[in-house]
Amino acid sequence: MSAATSILDQAWLSMLNLTLGLILIRLASKDDYGIYTQLYVAGIFAAGIGEALITSPLTTLASTYPEDQRRAMVGHLDRFQGRLSTIVALLFGLGCAAVTNWAQMGQPLWLGLGFAFYVKTNAIREYRRSSLFIEGEAQRVLWIDLRYGIAALACTGLLIWMEWLHIPAVFGMLGVANLVALLGTHAHPVPATDAVPDYRYAVREAWKRGRLGLPGSILAWIINYSYLYLTAAWLGAAATADLNASRLLLMPISLTVLAWSRVARPLIGRRLIERDRRGLRRLLVVSVVGMEVLTLAYIGVLWLAFPLLQQHVLGANYASAQHLVLGWGFYFAVNAARWIGTAALLAVDRYGSTLAVTAVSLTLVLISMNILIPRYGTAGAVMSLTLVETVGLILVWFIYWRSPRKITAL
């Protein structure tokens, strides 16, 4: 039931992300959409910091604690998350304003404020969602995201009606939607001073894993999203709009994999504690096969429907995006299997191994992109990412299979 609810939740978020993206593709200029995608990706980087330092370690640790200690950990790390997210939001807002001013893109103050507001509110919402997943409350997560989506769509409609669909207003609108999503939920209570574990212990245990997870998260972000900035440097902002428009159509695949990981990582942890090798093996095999079947089916439907999307949704400015769809489809098929393997490694506390894999991938992506983008244009960026994902897939599963028998099912 939790898995089905999580998939429904991610399907809703996928539809929302796709809708908002298509609205901007249709109503904003190609350069403005290219700038929006680069800032949105920077927001993913900001969220990844909290994920690596707090949420991912908490997910790993939660299955090892009894209920009262687990709740204390969640409460302590909620407090830590609040402090960390404020610092991150301020730094990213200042950075956004500085770059906007340097590039003379206009409205640096408002864009910096809107982006900082979005980063902060998004961090609060993401931690609330993650802690509810850990507690097995997937249905409550769905209600949070339903409120978020309805608020985002309503605010977008208001911006369109006011003819104020500018980038600073868009990020401000997303921040407001985050706050609306949190209505009716409550922050985790601060544990008592004599609670076990205490605040320092909770932060220390998270940091022991997060200090390895954070470099990996940063490297993974560079591997997955540097193509936008390298493409902009080689080909211009309009080329990034083509890349992201075609990738946007396939984002439901990525979000479905994310939905799986939210539910499956705690399940993997329980299988390990119970030493249920057969159950863990079945979970991983079914997950890989199921994701690949869904991916191939979605790519087929999208390819057949693309002419209609081109005519009625994307518009003539994105006619060159069709040839990128199959390339992105193959990339996401490889990415799904690689991501499941990475989640399995994290669940068995192999943070160091995932860092080693991302370091190899980073080297490969920086070399291949600077060779393939100048030679093949936007298609070269997709080719480079697919090559890197294929190498990562092989390395991740090889490390998992070679892990000590006491922690692995395969």
Side-chain angles (χ1 to χ4, degrees):
M1 183 63 183
S2 293
T5 304
S6 180
I7 291 173
L8 178 61
D9 174 64
Q10 290 300 330
W12 165 252
L13 291 177
S14 177
M15 183 278 294
L16 175 67
N17 187 47
L18 179 62
T19 301
L20 294 177
L22 292 176
I23 288 172
L24 290 172
I25 287 171
R26 195 69 176 181
L27 300 180
S29 69
K30 209 168 184 179
D31 283 339
D32 281 350
Y33 179 64
I35 293 169
Y36 165 80
T37 59
Q38 293 176 61
L39 286 175
Y40 189 81
V41 162
I44 294 175
F45 184 23
I49 294 174
E51 172 76 19
L53 289 179
I54 301 174
T55 306
S56 185
L58 176 61
T59 303
T60 299
L61 292 166
S63 61
T64 66
Y65 288 101
E67 183 176 354
D68 57 337
Q69 294 183 22
R70 183 173 67 247
R71 291 184 182 278
M73 283 287 292
V74 171
H76 287 314
L77 292 182
D78 190 5
R79 177 184 171 195
F80 180 47
Q81 178 275 143
R83 296 173 175 179
L84 177 67
S85 62
T86 298
I87 295 172
V88 170
L90 290 174
L91 290 176
F92 273 73
L94 288 172
C96 175
V99 172
T100 303
N101 185 60
W102 172 77
Q104 297 182 342
M105 292 187 293
Q107 299 181 304
L109 175 61
W110 289 111
L111 189 54
L113 287 173
F115 190 58
F117 177 54
Y118 164 72
V119 169
K120 173 62 180 178
T121 57
N122 190 61
I124 299 172
R125 174 172 154 264
E126 283 299 322
Y127 186 81
R128 198 72 51 82
R129 296 177 73 250
S130 297
S131 61
L132 288 173
F133 272 123
I134 289 171
E135 297 295 334
E137 298 284 350
Q139 190 171 14
R140 291 179 62 190
V141 176
L142 176 59
W143 283 113
I144 288 175
D145 290 336
L146 284 173
R147 288 195 296 270
Y148 169 73
I150 293 170
L153 291 173
C155 290
T156 301
L158 181 61
L159 291 179
I160 294 172
W161 179 72
M162 296 173 64
E163 297 183 355
W164 204 21
L165 197 66
H166 306 301
I167 304 302
V170 169
F171 281 107
M173 171 271 295
L174 292 175
V176 170
N178 281 323
L179 293 180
V180 171
L182 295 171
L183 294 176
T185 67
H186 302 284
H188 298 284
V190 177
T193 54
D194 59 347
V196 178
D198 61 18
Y199 178 76
R200 289 185 178 181
Y201 176 87
V203 173
R204 185 169 63 249
E205 287 298 298
W207 173 248
K208 282 170 61 177
R209 292 153 180 84
R211 64 187 175 85
L212 295 174
L214 181 59
S217 178
I218 293 172
L219 294 179
W221 181 87
I222 294 173
I223 292 165
N224 289 324
Y225 297 108
S226 60
Y227 75 92
L228 279 174
Y229 304 98
L230 290 173
T231 300
W234 281 105
L235 306 174
T240 68
D242 279 330
L243 274 173
N244 205 67
S246 54
R247 179 174 176 145
L248 179 67
L249 297 174
L250 287 142
M251 284 306 292
I253 299 172
S254 180
L255 291 173
T256 300
V257 175
L258 179 60
W260 172 90
S261 67
R262 295 281 193 181
V263 174
R265 280 193 60 190
L267 291 177
I268 292 173
R270 295 190 195 108
R271 297 290 187 275
L272 290 168
I273 292 173
E274 297 167 358
R275 299 186 180 276
D276 184 4
R277 297 178 181 275
R278 181 176 297 177
L280 180 53
R281 184 186 301 114
R282 183 167 57 250
L283 172 63
L284 294 176
V285 171
V286 169
S287 296
V288 172
V289 173
M291 287 299 171
E292 294 306 315
V293 170
L294 286 174
T295 298
L296 293 175
Y298 183 83
I299 293 169
V301 172
L302 182 61
W303 179 254
L304 293 175
F306 194 88
L308 292 176
L309 290 172
Q310 175 70 55
Q311 181 179 356
H312 299 291
V313 180
L314 298 178
N317 287 338
Y318 293 89
S320 60
Q322 183 173 10
H323 76 281
L324 298 172
V325 169
L326 284 181
W328 278 124
F330 187 62
Y331 163 81
F332 277 111
V334 178
N335 174 264
R338 197 273 305 163
W339 184 264
I340 292 171
T342 300
L345 279 183
L346 292 176
V348 297
D349 222 359
R350 294 297 298 270
Y351 282 80
S353 298
T354 60
L355 178 58
V357 172
T358 52
V360 172
S361 299
L362 173 66
T363 303
L364 185 57
V365 78
L366 293 178
I367 294 173
S368 61
M369 279 197 178
N370 283 288
I371 294 173
L372 296 175
I373 291 177
R375 180 170 296 182
Y376 299 107
T378 53
V382 183
M383 292 165 60
S384 173
L385 289 170
T386 305
L387 172 64
V388 172
E389 283 298 303
T390 302
V391 173
L393 168 70
I394 295 170
L395 291 176
V396 161
W397 283 106
F398 177 78
I399 293 170
Y400 184 78
W401 287 330
R402 297 285 293 180
S403 296
R405 282 292 181 180
K406 65 180 180 179
I407 63 170
T408 183
L410 294 173

